[in-house]
Amino acid sequence: MSSHAEPDPREPQHPGAPSGPGTRRQLRGTQKRVDDRLLEAVRESVMADAGPVTPSRVAAAVQASGRVLGTAGALAAVESISAELNGLGPLQPLTRDPLVTDIFVNGPESVWLDRGRGLERAPVAFAGEAQVRALAARLVAAGGRRLDDGSPCVDVRLDGGYRVHAVLPPISTTGTLLSVRIRRESVFSLAELGRGGMFGPLVQDVLERMVARRLSFLVSGATGSGKTTLLATLLGLCQPGERLVLIEDASELNPVHPHVVSLESRHSNLEGGGAVDLGELVRQALRMRPDRLVVGECRGAEVRELLAAMNTGHTGAGGTIHANTAAAVPARLTALGALAGMGPDAVRLQAASALDVVVHLERTRLGRQVASIGLVGENESGLAVAAALETVGGEVRAGPAWPELAPRLGLDPSAVPGTASTARRITAAGPP
């Protein structure tokens, strides 16, 4: 992959988006103007008094420094220093682009970002390894944990919707590594995701009916395929009178819904106590009378409690799971069940009864896309996910499970996707 990605002319440009040579020169010019002595002077001035580090306090400290920067230089200095003291440092300008979902620091001169079309080199550089490590340590400390030789790999959630993962050398052989996942406060509607190319009208109708008819589902895919984005949007389709209880390792879901309760796992403290895992949170959530029970990501032994809950009347549940294909989800569930002491037969019986649908996402050269929708069931080899809808070459085609899934969605099973009569016959089938 080329180290310099060209901007896509089909993609709308947003104000403040960090792209283009002009922005590159501006970002690096700002870094040059704010030298270490000014930063240290402002830091000492701001930290001398108790209280939050606000832009107004930073501005006053910059003015008190006596440096002649001019109006534009002063504003740039305030912004850069505020980010250095209280934000993501040199990475902060990248977060202004609403399309950016992930930022990666592989080294002082190797910063990358993801805007949904694959990784692109970012117009940002650090002064050296010491600056990268100092930023990583500060961000982790802000999340209530420590990053040092005794704890070289740390994951924290910060105010502002940032999830930060840091790795120190020698665990990392190239220097300090940073990965920043950005949770946007605004949640896409299903129509917006459709216009963005994630799916077409038929798949959108199927997803709406899946939620309305309270089918239990998993959203599968690789890292960065849009699982959390789609799950949050689907949860926003739930009826306003339903109580949603969300269980996550790190809070990322923010559905647009009036009744949402969020629970987040907790790591152990320095003494090794106080940990609250996802399995415990699932058990606690069952005492909170949820109408919809949602696990942000099934990644461990908590799958036992989730499947048990789905089999005790909690229909319409949802979650995400890492898998290469929809057909690989059964093997993934079996592996997770083994972590909880469940045998393959137990996982098969529980999952076949609890789960209805798997929605699989993939990353393509055109962006994130619903690759298939599968029906969970059993066959001669055990638990299986049979394709009901598949996206092939931009066209949605029916799979072998479509005649079985369609009636459960209130659709005409004889309306085969991909034919000219599909839209008319599906419309005639009635509302969700």
Side-chain angles (χ1 to χ4, degrees), residues 20 28 212 395:
R28 289 182 175 169
E395 179 184 354

Side-chain angles (χ1 to χ4, degrees), residues 117-426:
R117 296 180 290 111
L119 296 182
E120 308 170 39
R121 187 177 286 275
V124 168
F126 288 79
E129 163 65 17
Q131 186 183 15
V132 179
R133 180 161 182 157
L135 175 62
R138 179 173 63 78
L139 294 178
V140 169
R145 301 189 68 188
R146 61 187 179 89
L147 181 69
D148 53 30
D149 293 340
S151 182
C153 304
V154 182
D155 184 81
V156 296
R157 181 175 61 87
L158 304 179
D159 293 338
Y162 303 119
R163 181 175 177 178
V164 177
H165 182 262
V167 181
L168 292 181
I171 304 301
S172 163
T173 60
T174 58
T176 302
L177 302 179
L178 267 176
S179 303
V180 181
R181 168 67 61 89
I182 303 172
R183 184 185 80 166
R184 300 297 180 182
E185 292 303 319
S186 59
V187 178
F188 293 107
S189 68
L190 210 59
E192 288 172 331
L193 292 181
R195 288 194 295 270
M198 184 174 279
F199 43 72
L202 173 59
V203 172
Q204 178 174 336
D205 186 38
V206 168
L207 294 176
E208 290 173 343
R209 291 170 180 268
M210 178 184 73
V211 175
R213 291 178 175 256
R214 299 187 62 84
L215 300 186
S216 294
F217 63 92
L218 288 177
V219 181
S220 64
T223 301
S225 59
K227 300 186 297 297
T228 301
T229 298
L230 179 58
L231 179 58
T233 299
L234 293 176
L235 294 177
L237 302 178
C238 298
Q239 291 297 318
E242 293 182 325
R243 176 176 168 88
L244 277 58
V245 180
L246 313 183
I247 300 166
E248 298 180 84
D249 189 44
S251 181
E252 292 183 297
L253 291 169
N254 55 339
V256 180
H257 191 276
H259 197 156
V260 177
V261 177
S262 297
L263 303 177
E264 185 179 51
S265 65
R266 186 174 68 185
H267 297 281
S268 59
N269 54 30
L270 295 178
E271 289 75 30
V276 181
D277 61 20
L278 293 178
E280 176 62 24
L281 292 182
V282 172
R283 290 190 289 273
Q284 296 301 323
L286 294 177
R287 301 184 177 97
M288 302 171 68
R289 213 230 73 180
D291 293 306
R292 304 259 187 175
L293 184 64
V294 179
V295 175
E297 181 181 340
C298 297
R299 64 170 70 183
E302 69 277 355
V303 71
R304 176 182 56 195
E305 282 76 16
L306 178 62
L307 292 177
M310 290 181 177
N311 277 302
T312 54
H314 291 86
T315 60
T320 71
I321 190 169
H322 279 84
N324 294 327
T325 63
V329 169
R332 179 76 171 141
L333 289 173
T334 301
L336 296 180
L339 297 177
M342 300 176 66
D345 288 340
V347 174
R348 172 179 57 82
L349 292 172
Q350 291 271 38
S353 175
L355 293 170
D356 299 299
V357 175
V358 171
V359 180
H360 186 72
L361 296 174
E362 289 183 353
R363 298 184 59 157
T364 70
R365 60 182 180 84
L366 299 178
R368 302 171 175 94
Q369 187 178 69
V370 173
S372 66
I373 297 178
L375 187 66
V376 181
E378 297 180 78
N379 58 23
E380 60 279 359
S381 61
L383 185 66
V385 176
L389 295 176
E390 294 180 290
T391 302
V392 181
E395 179 184 354
V396 178
R397 300 177 183 175
W402 174 251
E404 184 178 352
L405 177 61
R408 298 173 67 175
L409 299 173
L411 298 175
D412 183 358
S414 63
V416 180
T419 63
S421 61
T422 297
R424 176 179 58 79
R425 297 174 71 178
I426 285 181

